[in-house]
Amino acid sequence: MIKALLQKLPAQVALGISVIGLVFSPVANAQLIRQDFEGNFSRIQVSPFLTNTSPENSNYSGFVLFSENGNLEDWQVNVDGLDLDLDPDSTLGGGFGPALVPTISFDLSSPSDWDLSVDFGIAFDAPRFTLERDASEITFMGELGLAGSYTYQDSATTINQTATSVPEPGTVLGILVVGGLGLVVKLKY
């Protein structure tokens, strides 16, 4: 009796996997877009309290990696003159209390028009940084609570874009459909 049950179980499991795969298996692949950027920022605005701590010009570099539907997968922004090196693992403080973890938002209008915001809690006087791309222009804004803000811009940014197609999770399930149906057929015959 146990032997007969074990012989039927793999076919039922394989059939279950096949049904799940059929339900969740779209045909298309997703596309990831990576944009590497670099250049030289020129300061276009600064609050009086920040004049001496923000340079007139600064080299910068970074990248954003996002899916075609606007999901941000990875990113990094480095602004040399401000000693800023921001990435998904960035935190602020932590000396006398818990480290602040930023809220990240990414708004994609098109591959050449997007905004990345890194907010450490501007409502509580912690900084918020915003990077905006509009065609070949990049603008970087820092809001530092009561100290004020600064804005840098580069209208001749060097941007390199690459796109990679990756299978969506449903495609992997689609492969399980074929394998599961094959196992059912093999076990039945």
Side-chain angles (χ1 to χ4, degrees):
M1 181 171 162
I2 293 177
K3 184 177 178 183
L5 180 63
L6 289 175
Q7 287 175 340
K8 289 183 180 184
L9 183 62
Q12 292 166 342
V13 171
L15 186 58
I17 290 172
S18 297
V19 169
I20 290 170
L22 284 172
V23 171
F24 294 104
S25 64
V27 177
N29 288 336
Q31 189 173 53
L32 291 180
I33 299 167
R34 180 181 169 119
Q35 294 180 356
D36 292 277
F37 48 83
E38 64 181 354
N40 192 309
F41 278 138
S42 296
R43 189 177 69 194
I44 60 172
Q45 178 276 326
V46 65
S47 297
F49 292 123
L50 300 173
T51 302
N52 295 329
T53 59
S54 60
E56 297 266 340
N57 298 295
S58 176
N59 290 327
Y60 69 94
S61 63
F63 73 90
V64 290
L65 176 68
F66 55 91
S67 63
E68 59 192 342
N69 65 1
N71 289 330
L72 184 64
E73 302 293 329
D74 199 6
W75 61 276
Q76 184 175 22
V77 178
N78 300 306
V79 183
D80 296 341
L82 298 172
D83 291 327
L84 279 176
D85 187 10
L86 301 170
D87 61 38
D89 297 325
S90 294
T91 59
L92 186 66
F96 294 107
L100 298 175
V101 176
T103 300
I104 309 299
S105 64
F106 183 72
D107 296 316
L108 178 70
S109 298
S110 73
S112 62
D113 185 4
W114 48 258
D115 299 340
L116 170 66
S117 176
V118 182
D119 188 348
F120 285 96
I122 192 70
F124 301 104
D125 211 27
R128 175 174 50 211
F129 303 102
T130 305
L131 187 72
E132 296 178 352
R133 177 181 178 196
D134 183 11
S136 64
E137 182 174 273
I138 295 246
T139 304
F140 182 75
M141 295 166 281
E143 299 171 77
L144 306 178
L146 296 176
S149 63
Y150 51 73
T151 304
Y152 287 88
Q153 197 167 61
D154 181 3
S155 57
T157 302
T158 301
I159 299 172
N160 295 313
Q161 178 172 302
T162 54
T164 308
S165 291
V166 294
E168 291 189 14
T171 304
V172 175
L173 288 174
I175 293 168
L176 289 175
V177 168
V178 175
L181 288 175
L183 185 57
V184 168
V185 169
K186 181 180 176 188
L187 291 173
K188 291 244 181 202
Y189 297 103

